[in-house]
Amino acid sequence: MSNSDITPPTDPPRQESRLPPGCAIFMLIVGVLLLIPGALCVVLGVTLGGSNDPITGLAVLVTLGGLGLIVFARAQRRG
């Protein structure tokens, strides 16, 4: 048996990350920054009785956007 007959073992191909690592971290930070004030506005708006105010609807959208960014970034980091 010669050395040319033996092939070195190959590593299984790794799944490439869809986003650069810094992008996922940035998305997590922005998501948290959107989530905290959005949730605070929703809680204060409902507590103070302004549930029909258009600002409350905007605050809900901001909160959901922040939550969506956090979930998307976590899914990208797990691969």
Side-chain angles (χ1 to χ4, degrees):
M1 211 190 303
S2 68
N3 286 340
S4 63
D5 293 339
I6 301 173
T7 57
T10 58
D11 294 333
R14 293 185 343 177
Q15 183 180 7
E16 293 292 324
S17 177
R18 295 179 214 140
L19 294 175
C23 186
I25 293 170
F26 177 74
M27 288 174 63
L28 283 171
I29 292 171
V30 170
V32 169
L33 290 176
L34 288 174
L35 185 66
I36 292 172
L40 182 64
C41 287
V42 169
V43 168
L44 288 177
V46 171
T47 303
L48 298 176
S51 59
N52 292 333
D53 190 15
I55 301 282
T56 304
L58 181 65
V60 169
L61 291 176
V62 168
T63 303
L64 291 176
L67 187 61
L69 277 175
I70 292 170
V71 169
F72 184 72
R74 294 280 298 172
Q76 294 297 315
R77 289 191 69 190
R78 289 185 185 172

